[in-house]
Amino acid sequence: MTRPYVILNAAMTLDGKIATAAGDSRISCEADLDRVHELRASVDAVVVGVGTVLADNPSLTVRRARGESPTRIVIDSYAKTPLDARVLDNSAPTIIASTRSAPKRRLQELRAAGAKIIVAGEKEVNLRGLLEKLRSLGVRKLLLEGGSTLNWSMLKEGLVDEVRVTVAPRIVGGATAKTLVGGAGFGEVRKGVGLELVRVVKVGRDLLLTYRVKGGKGAKKTG
Ligand SMILES: NC(=O)c1ccc[n+]([C@@H]2O[C@H](COP(=O)([O-])OP(=O)(O)OC[C@H]3O[C@@H](n4cnc5c(N)ncnc54)[C@H](OP(=O)(O)O)[C@@H]3O)[C@@H](O)[C@H]2O)c1
């Protein structure tokens, strides 16, 4: 079964944090925010974990660039997305990807708030199954906008094809601050996800690094 082409995009500090320990995730400079909105306008859908919805309440729409807002997708096993979350406003379609463990009533409330519900998995969202379903619904290009836990699952399952990371010239520290990729992690460096650096550009005061994931779609077959 085919799945969409997946681009992971994130902004991190030089020490790899995507938010401070206190939860501040305003890392990108103005020029980088413009770039992210242009990127959103170029994809069919954008996906985040429910942790990001609860922490940042993002709207995930295109406001700083021309073009249409993509479909917004929240990975939310237990349907915890608040009914007043910005992702549920009527500025773009929204899909809540949930599981058979989610309370039926919550799913009904989210449906009544305008979201389409896709049930994939028992206790956590079956990401591969979901991506295949999304592809069958016409999603060819999918933007993954975090957070740390969802980035880990997507990378571990081999569902990411390209990584674009903005490195801001800040160091914030904090042992509990979320990093670009969380989860259990790999025990050995050689087992980590292999990347090939394809582009380095300065965006405003930040540095944008673009990598192709080895073995991903669009990767060279050798190496
Ligand atoms: N700087 C940036 O570019 C950027 C971008 C985005 C987010 N952030 C930051 O990232 C932080 C949020 O990250 P987070 O790690 O707490 O949350 P997250 O990755 O946004 O969401 C993770 C949640 O998704 C749900 N989920 C369901 N199925 C899953 C699966 N198969 N794999 C992984 N997750 C699954 C789980 O909750 P359930 O069990 O309830 O379903 C899980 O706890 C915030 O501090 C935010 O500010 C930064």
Side-chain angles (χ1 to χ4, degrees):
M1 279 280 264
T2 56
R3 61 165 178 84
Y5 182 83
V6 177
I7 302 169
L8 186 168
N9 186 85
M12 66 178 199
T13 57
L14 182 60
D15 49 336
K17 312 292 189 188
I18 60 169
T20 65
D24 184 9
S25 62
R26 293 165 298 174
I27 293 170
S28 291
C29 67
E30 294 294 314
D32 192 56
L33 289 174
D34 292 346
R35 179 193 65 81
V36 172
H37 282 237
E38 277 164 28
L39 180 57
R40 279 184 194 156
S42 75
V43 298
D44 303 303
V46 53
V47 62
V48 295
V50 68
T52 295
V53 169
L54 295 173
D56 296 349
N57 193 16
S59 69
L60 302 176
T61 53
V62 175
R63 303 180 304 282
R64 304 174 66 112
R66 280 166 193 263
E68 261 182 57
S69 293
T71 294
R72 303 166 293 186
I73 303 165
V74 182
I75 305 297
D76 182 6
S77 315
Y78 300 97
K80 290 187 293 197
T81 298
L83 294 175
D84 60 355
R86 291 199 184 106
V87 286
L88 291 172
D89 67 19
N90 58 12
S91 51
T94 302
I95 293 173
I96 304 290
S98 198
T99 64
R100 277 178 275 280
S101 302
K104 301 275 172 299
R105 196 190 160 135
R106 282 293 297 159
L107 292 178
Q108 268 162 18
E109 287 169 348
L110 288 165
R111 221 177 261 122
K116 178 183 167 78
I117 309 291
I118 294 180
V119 174
E122 292 297 329
K123 291 203 167 4
E124 68 168 22
V125 175
N126 173 340
L127 297 170
R128 185 173 294 277
L130 172 70
L131 261 56
E132 288 169 359
K133 172 80 181 163
L134 292 173
R135 181 65 192 84
S136 76
L137 294 173
V139 176
R140 288 170 170 276
K141 217 171 182 186
L142 177 66
L143 178 59
L144 167 60
E145 285 202 41
S148 198
T149 309
L150 184 61
N151 288 349
W152 160 254
S153 294
M154 290 285 289
L155 284 162
K156 181 194 59 166
E157 292 185 35
L159 299 174
V160 178
D161 304 299
E162 195 178 317
V163 177
R164 300 187 192 182
V165 185
T166 290
V167 183
R170 293 268 183 198
I171 293 174
V172 296
T176 59
K178 299 269 177 186
T179 57
L180 177 64
V181 181
F186 294 102
E188 292 174 63
V189 173
R190 68 183 180 91
K191 293 200 173 143
V193 176
L195 305 169
E196 183 195 350
L197 181 64
V198 291
R199 210 160 79 101
V200 179
V201 282
K202 209 165 167 225
V203 178
R205 50 144 222 219
D206 298 339
L207 183 66
L208 172 64
L209 304 172
T210 301
Y211 298 88
R212 217 172 270 138
V213 177
K214 286 189 178 168
K217 289 183 182 214
K220 283 187 207 131
K221 293 289 175 224
T222 53

